[in-house]
Amino acid sequence: MIAVAIDGPAGAGKSSIARKTAKEIEFIYVDTGALYRAVGLHMLNCGIVPEDQQAVSAELAHVDISLEFKDGDQRVLLCGQDVTDLIRTSDVSRASSQVSAIPEVRAFLLALQTKLAEKNHVIMDGRDIGTVVLPNAQVKVFLTATPQERARRRMQQIEEKGQKADFDTILREIQERDYRDTHREIAPLIPAADAVVIDTTNLTMQQASDMLKQLIVKQIDSDKNSH
Ligand code: DC
């Protein structure tokens, strides 16, 4: 199986680039952030403070998360209910980042992620894919962009949905999440030593996706030649 690990901060373009590339090369695209979001949503629904390590850990026994793939698109099921569209709010973003710092939550979600990569060719994105989840991934990419550019893109996405957005609020939320994701003790967001770093600040989605595809095709060709 071929595994492609993509890590990077919120809004660097990971999911759009990974989804597009996965469709083109017929790999499954696994968005691991959605798993942390589902845990965050569950805690909010139960009235549990997402930073309360003890309460969150105790509640995990009642959390049942699974992923389904329909026409290549990932759906997230939380206790049997499709929550794919409910996990994109800023409250859930914050809660997911908070629960993701809890070691029990990371251990709880790890097996689900590794199993998917055992059975499928995957492009998996997240924060610790190249470092912890799939340390033997054949291709590792760290996608990044300046916080200002990432906030600009988020704002555009929100406005495209006909909703209002405030640039400074989005920028602040991104910076808070970056800080939490990079400073936590367990599996912090850092590029794997063998990751290719791609800064997408001045790249179009197409350009970044072409770069990723080139790296994957090169890897597939070298695998073929060595067998
Ligand atoms: O990729 P995302 O923005 O949907 O992720 C939501 C949060 O989940 C993010 O702030 C950090 C956490 N996360 C993580 O800790 N490890 C991952 N592999 C993916 C996400």
Side-chain angles (χ1 to χ4, degrees):
M1 288 297 157
I2 298 174
V4 178
I6 303 189
D7 291 300
K14 299 186 299 293
S15 59
S16 333
I17 293 164
R19 185 180 298 114
K20 182 175 186 318
T21 311
K23 284 208 166 133
E24 288 171 6
I25 59 174
E26 296 185 356
F27 279 27
I28 64 164
Y29 162 54
V30 184
D31 163 13
T32 64
L35 301 171
Y36 291 89
R37 286 173 180 271
V39 174
L41 175 65
H42 180 92
M43 299 304 157
L44 293 179
N45 286 344
C46 294
I48 291 172
V49 177
E51 279 166 315
D52 183 341
Q53 177 165 356
Q54 276 196 343
V56 169
S57 303
E59 181 58 26
L60 285 176
H62 305 119
V63 181
D64 169 25
I65 296 176
S66 55
L67 295 179
E68 279 183 357
F69 296 90
K70 285 193 187 146
D71 303 324
D73 288 322
Q74 173 183 296
R75 309 296 300 178
V76 194
L77 305 187
L78 175 61
C79 303
Q81 189 202 349
D82 188 333
V83 294
T84 314
D85 302 322
L86 299 178
I87 54 174
R88 298 288 152 198
T89 65
S90 55
D91 282 348
V92 176
S93 297
R94 193 176 317 107
S96 63
S97 173
Q98 290 166 335
V99 296
S100 75
I102 300 176
E104 287 82 355
V105 171
R106 306 204 71 84
F108 174 74
L109 295 175
L110 187 62
L112 197 78
Q113 299 169 71
T114 47
K115 262 191 216 139
L116 283 166
E118 277 165 17
K119 297 192 187 128
N120 307 277
H121 294 312
V122 293
I123 299 186
M124 191 175 282
D125 86 17
R127 303 292 188 287
D128 62 339
I129 309 304
T131 49
V132 176
V133 180
L134 304 174
N136 298 321
Q138 291 89 336
V139 179
K140 294 184 189 178
V141 171
F142 191 87
L143 275 186
T144 187
T146 60
Q148 286 72 14
E149 173 60 16
R150 292 187 277 129
R152 193 192 63 73
R153 291 177 190 166
R154 254 303 121 85
M155 189 146 152
Q156 198 177 342
Q157 281 173 350
I158 296 170
E159 285 176 347
E160 275 165 12
K161 287 190 205 153
Q163 296 160 359
K164 276 202 173 158
D166 173 55
F167 181 83
D168 290 336
T169 308
I170 295 177
L171 181 60
R172 199 185 57 245
E173 284 173 357
I174 282 188
Q175 286 169 330
E176 280 171 9
R177 209 136 69 90
D178 281 359
Y179 185 85
R180 235 189 334 257
D181 294 348
T182 51
H183 285 77
R184 66 180 177 223
E185 266 176 45
I186 179 162
L189 170 67
I190 39 158
D194 49 352
V196 176
V197 179
I198 301 179
D199 184 335
T200 68
T201 306
N202 297 309
L203 297 179
T204 61
M205 222 244 293
Q206 186 64 50
Q207 287 170 324
S209 151
D210 286 346
M211 287 171 84
L212 175 63
K213 204 154 102 183
Q214 262 179 20
L215 289 170
I216 301 171
V217 169
K218 203 167 109 195
Q219 180 61 41
I220 295 174
D221 286 348
S222 92
D223 274 5
K224 273 189 199 145
N225 291 336
S226 65
H227 287 130

